[in-house]
Structure formats: structure tokens, C-alpha cells
Amino acid sequence: RQRQMCIRDRRRVRAARLSALQKENPTEYNRFMNKHPEMVLIFLSKEQISKKHSSDYKLYVLNLSEEELRALRYAMPNFKSDQDVQMRFVQSIESKIKECTSGNEKQNLKPK
């Protein structure tokens, strides 16, 4: 439960940062959102996300930081079994998170 709170807070923080960036520097915000279109999902409810068409998920690249990936994963609803593309998208988020965490562990093991 404590971990879920942390992830929920990360989503809120990331969404707040994007909202602030949008107000402070709209050009930079547009550049970021064009480069990472999947981040728009953070602003949507789970119902809205589940109603998105499967072709939308094919556009997402997932070239995000670990924090952004975790926030995005928290935003994802539980998809129905017939929503294969969406479920594969969630699996790709989870595998990217694992890659990031294993990469961080390897970096921490290197002597300085």
C-alpha cells in the first residue's frame, strides 16, 4: 500500500510538472509532448485510457525516464483480455521499468 501511494504521488508530481511546463514554457512543453506522445495518458482517467483505440498505442515509443514510466504504468487501467495491443503496451512499460531498475543497480555496483 505504501508503494502504491508513492507511485500515485509520482504520477501527480509528473503531471504537475508537465502542467507547470505548459504554463511557463509552452514551446518546450509542445516539443516534449511531440517527442513523448504517450505522456498525454497521465492526464487521462483510467476510463478514458481504456476507451482509446488500439492504433493509438502503436504510436507510443516509450523513450522515457524511470519516473515517467512508473507514472505512466500507474495511470494504466486493467484492460480486458481481448485488448491485446493495450496489454502488450503495459507489458512493454513494465519491461522498460525492469530494465531501468536493473541498469541502476549495475551502476550502483560499479566502484567509484
Side-chain angles (χ1 to χ4, degrees):
R1 183 177 176 118
Q2 187 177 24
R3 185 169 186 247
Q4 285 181 338
M5 292 290 285
C6 183
I7 294 170
R8 186 180 313 132
D9 291 342
R10 284 183 189 159
R11 177 182 179 215
R12 288 180 184 157
V13 167
R14 190 63 193 158
R17 285 182 191 161
L18 287 173
S19 295
L21 181 64
Q22 183 180 21
K23 292 174 185 172
E24 294 169 7
N25 191 344
T27 306
E28 186 64 30
Y29 172 81
N30 289 336
R31 189 177 303 138
F32 179 83
M33 293 306 279
N34 287 335
K35 190 174 179 183
H36 306 289
E38 60 274 11
M39 289 303 289
V40 76
L41 296 174
I42 287 181
F43 296 107
L44 302 178
S45 70
K46 292 187 184 230
E47 289 176 0
Q48 292 171 319
I49 293 171
S50 64
K51 291 179 183 178
K52 288 186 87 46
H53 194 270
S54 62
S55 63
D56 294 333
Y57 292 91
K58 294 178 182 178
L59 301 173
Y60 302 145
V61 180
L62 293 179
N63 189 14
L64 302 170
S65 70
E66 182 182 356
E67 178 183 318
E68 293 165 340
L69 286 167
R70 288 183 183 277
L72 190 58
R73 175 59 187 107
Y74 180 77
M76 294 289 105
N78 293 328
F79 291 107
K80 298 176 186 170
S81 60
D82 63 339
Q83 294 177 306
D84 293 333
V85 175
Q86 292 89 332
M87 290 172 67
R88 277 185 266 149
F89 177 70
V90 171
Q91 290 171 346
S92 66
I93 293 172
E94 291 171 350
S95 67
K96 290 273 190 175
I97 291 171
K98 286 180 184 177
E99 287 175 19
C100 288
T101 54
S102 67
N104 288 343
E105 289 171 4
K106 289 177 184 176
Q107 287 176 350
N108 290 340
L109 294 176
K110 290 181 181 178
K112 294 183 180 178

